[in-house]
Structures are given as C-alpha cells and as structure tokens.
Amino acid sequence: FELANGEEVWEKKLKPSNKKAKDNSMSGAGIALKGDKLFVTTGFGQVFALNKNDGNIMWNHDIKSPIRIAPSVDDELVIIQSLDNGIFALNVNTGNELWKDKLEEEATTMIGGATPAYSANKDLVLAGFSNGQIQAYKASTGTPLWSEWVVPSSSTESLSDITAIKANPIIDNDIAYVVGYNGPMVAIDIRTGAKIWQREISCSSQPWLAGNF
C-alpha cells in the first residue's frame, strides 16, 4: 500500500497450485525486508523473495516443512526456522540452501516460535527452539558453537511443561538476552555460551533494551 494515501500498489498470491492445500496453512508465518527484497515465509514450507516495488517473485525455495516463524535477514543470509525445529540458511540473492540443522522436537509445544537473531558482523545465528534450547551457530558455515537450556526449574500444571522459546532472542554487543515461555530470562555471553545472569521471568514477546535496562 501507498503510505501517503493507502492505495494498493500490488498484491501477490503465494498459495501453491495444489488443490489440497488449505488456506489456513498460510497463516502464522511472517515477512522481513532487506533492501529491495521482501522475504516471505508460509505455512506451506515455502520461502519467497519478492521485489518490494512490484511484488514480482525473485526466487523461492521449498524447505518441505511447515513454517510458522518470520525469517531473519542480514547482508548475506536468510535464516528460516521450521515448525519441526529445523533451521535453514539460504543465500539472500539466490535462495540456494547453504546449510541446515535439526533439533529434537517436543511432544507438547505451541504453534509459532521465535525469529532467530542473526548478526552478519559477528558471523552468528542464535536460534531458540520449542524444546527450550538456545543454539548458537557460525553463520557462514552452520557450525554449532554452543547451546544452553532456557527451561523452568519446576512445573505445577500442564502449561508449565511447555518449554518453548516464543520470544525473539536479541543480541547486544557480546551479550544475548533470551526468555522462555515459562521462564527463565537469561543473559548469555555469545562468545562462550556462559550464563551471565538469570531471572525467573516468563514471556512470549521479544524483550527490549533501553540504555542500561
């Protein structure tokens, strides 16, 4: 839409031609913008790069697993996380798959999840998964660097058994801040994976930094 007057500029339908595909499978994924490219993930497991000015498809890639999380984009990579705890790195210009990994799934979890934090300058991808694991990767190669668990110390009801990380992790200088759906919130040294501090706070929304707070 035009920002000034709200008029429609373009529209693009991304549903597969497969007649068995259900419309509600499109819901729950997301978008990200970088330069002239709009990156879109869908519940059908597809990733699209669209020209932001006219909606034309520049490339698309099928990871063959449902996506319920928005992509993370920086200068060279598009980072995609799937519903079944898979993570994929695609070339930002071509959509070619450069590396992938898959972690253990949880029997009980939530639809959706956290968009990975990706820093090209630090060559780091930080992803939170439905099993409560936060995993750091070397962005250029996909090499696992370290992992940590962000899970509650105890549970009293079925909802407390959900260990998913729903809030987007964030990176500030050499510290990552991560919070679990049922807690805790932790600060982690991204160079070593060591916890700096931990608080019994639970949240499903991305934390925000404001100065020293």
Side-chain angles (χ1 to χ4, degrees):
F1 297 91
E2 284 282 359
L3 189 62
N5 54 31
E7 290 186 1
E8 182 178 296
V9 178
W10 56 263
E11 177 182 295
K12 196 72 173 180
K13 296 185 182 300
L14 301 178
K15 180 180 177 181
S17 57
N18 180 1
K19 295 182 180 179
K20 295 182 179 180
K22 297 181 180 179
D23 290 332
N24 60 9
S25 293
M26 283 292 293
S27 63
I31 61 175
L33 182 66
K34 184 69 175 180
D36 63 349
K37 297 182 182 69
L38 178 67
F39 299 92
V40 184
T41 54
T42 79
F44 297 110
Q46 295 188 316
V47 187
F48 293 88
L50 308 179
N51 185 302
K52 72 173 185 180
N53 297 310
D54 55 24
N56 285 335
I57 296 176
M58 305 174 77
W59 56 257
N60 73 288
H61 182 86
D62 187 357
I63 68 168
K64 304 185 186 306
S65 181
I67 306 170
R68 290 287 189 269
I69 301 170
S72 183
V73 185
D74 211 319
D75 296 335
E76 299 178 355
L77 302 178
V78 185
I79 306 298
I80 308 298
Q81 204 164 321
S82 61
L83 188 62
D84 59 355
N85 278 354
I87 185 168
F88 305 79
L90 311 180
N91 181 286
V92 74
N93 294 312
T94 65
N96 291 338
E97 186 176 289
L98 303 177
W99 56 264
K100 63 181 178 180
D101 193 22
K102 192 174 188 303
L103 274 67
E104 183 179 353
E105 296 180 65
E106 285 290 286
T108 303
T109 188
M110 307 177 71
I111 297 297
T115 296
Y118 167 35
S119 172
N121 290 335
K122 297 182 181 300
D123 196 20
L124 182 73
V125 171
L126 193 62
F129 294 90
S130 67
N131 61 358
Q133 188 173 354
I134 188 80
Q135 176 70 56
Y137 298 92
K138 187 176 177 64
S140 55
T141 63
T143 303
L145 299 176
W146 53 261
S147 66
E148 184 57 80
W149 294 93
V150 183
V151 296
S153 56
S154 61
S155 62
T156 58
E157 54 182 285
S158 58
L159 284 177
S160 298
D161 291 331
I162 296 176
T163 58
I165 297 174
K166 289 273 291 180
N168 300 342
I170 55 176
I171 298 172
D172 182 57
N173 295 317
D174 290 325
I175 302 177
Y177 300 91
V178 187
V179 58
Y181 175 76
N182 276 308
M185 181 175 184
V186 297
I188 301 174
D189 187 324
I190 64 172
R191 297 164 297 185
T192 64
K195 284 185 182 179
I196 300 171
W197 54 257
Q198 176 173 321
R199 298 290 182 271
E200 294 305 316
I201 299 171
S202 59
C203 189
S204 60
S205 300
Q206 175 181 308
W208 289 93
L209 303 182
N212 292 325
F213 301 96

